[in-house]
């Protein structure tokens, strides 16, 4: 989806501009700096150099606010933007299911690969520590 959101620094990120740079991984996670979300984000961090060689961009999205996203990014040295989506506009644009923790909405863990402006792969039950391996496998199959 051609949507925009605010990154961890409060800057607007237009997803279409990111897609134009090459294949784009957009992953959704429930909450910054929680065990499963950290494994998922760090899996992509650890494979970032390899993915970048393939021209792949990475964006992480959750309902967290920019300051929480910034703290998460800084704590784990994540080399990609984290999109703060407290109103759920990006979550809705991607039709990602929500779950509730009390009155707090959380995105379900999902991952998308966008190539040529189209979703070419969607993992509705995205992995945590194997997220990067799943993406690398899909990228090799698409060649």
């Amino acid at each position: 989806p051609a949507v925009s959101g605010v990154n961890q620094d409060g800057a607007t990120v237009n997803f279409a501009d990111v897609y134009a740079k090459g294949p784009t991984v957009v992953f959704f996670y429930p909450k910054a700096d929680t065990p499963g979300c950290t494994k998922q984000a760090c899996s992509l961090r650890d494979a970032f150099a390899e993915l970048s060689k393939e021209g792949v961009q990475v964006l992480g999205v959750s309902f967290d606010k920019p300051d929480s996203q910034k703290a998460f990014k800084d704590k784990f040295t994540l080399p990609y933007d984290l999109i703060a989506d407290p109103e759920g506009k990006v979550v809705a644009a991607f039709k990602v299911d929500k779950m509730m923790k009390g009155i707090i909405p959380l995105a379900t863990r999902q991952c998308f690969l966008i190539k040529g402006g189209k979703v070419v792969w969607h993992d509705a039950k995205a992995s945590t520590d194997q997220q990067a391996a799943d993406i690398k496998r899909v990228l090799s199959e698409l060649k």
Side-chain angles (χ1 to χ4, degrees), residues 25-91:
V25 170
V26 181
F27 72 100
F28 292 83
Y29 53 97
K31 187 150 182 55
D33 203 7
T34 55
C37 300
T38 298
K39 285 180 184 177
Q40 183 182 22
C42 289
S43 166
L44 290 163
R45 174 201 65 197
D46 295 346
F48 189 75
E50 192 177 339
L51 292 171
S52 293
K53 285 180 192 167
E54 300 281 331
V56 176
Q57 326 302 306
V58 177
L59 295 171
V61 182
S62 73
F63 278 98
D64 292 293
K65 293 189 169 132
D67 57 340
S68 296
Q69 297 289 44
K70 179 147 182 55
F72 185 39
K73 178 180 171 88
D74 291 349
K75 181 176 180 180
F76 293 99
T77 321
L78 303 175
Y80 47 79
D81 276 342
L82 298 178
I83 305 300
D85 192 29
E87 287 99 39
K89 292 177 187 170
V90 178
V91 168

Side-chain angles (χ1 to χ4, degrees), residues 102-120:
I103 60 167
I104 301 167
L106 303 173
T108 57
R109 188 177 321 283
Q110 296 192 36
C111 188
F112 296 80
L113 180 62
I114 292 96
K115 191 172 179 183
K118 294 185 172 35
V119 174
V120 296

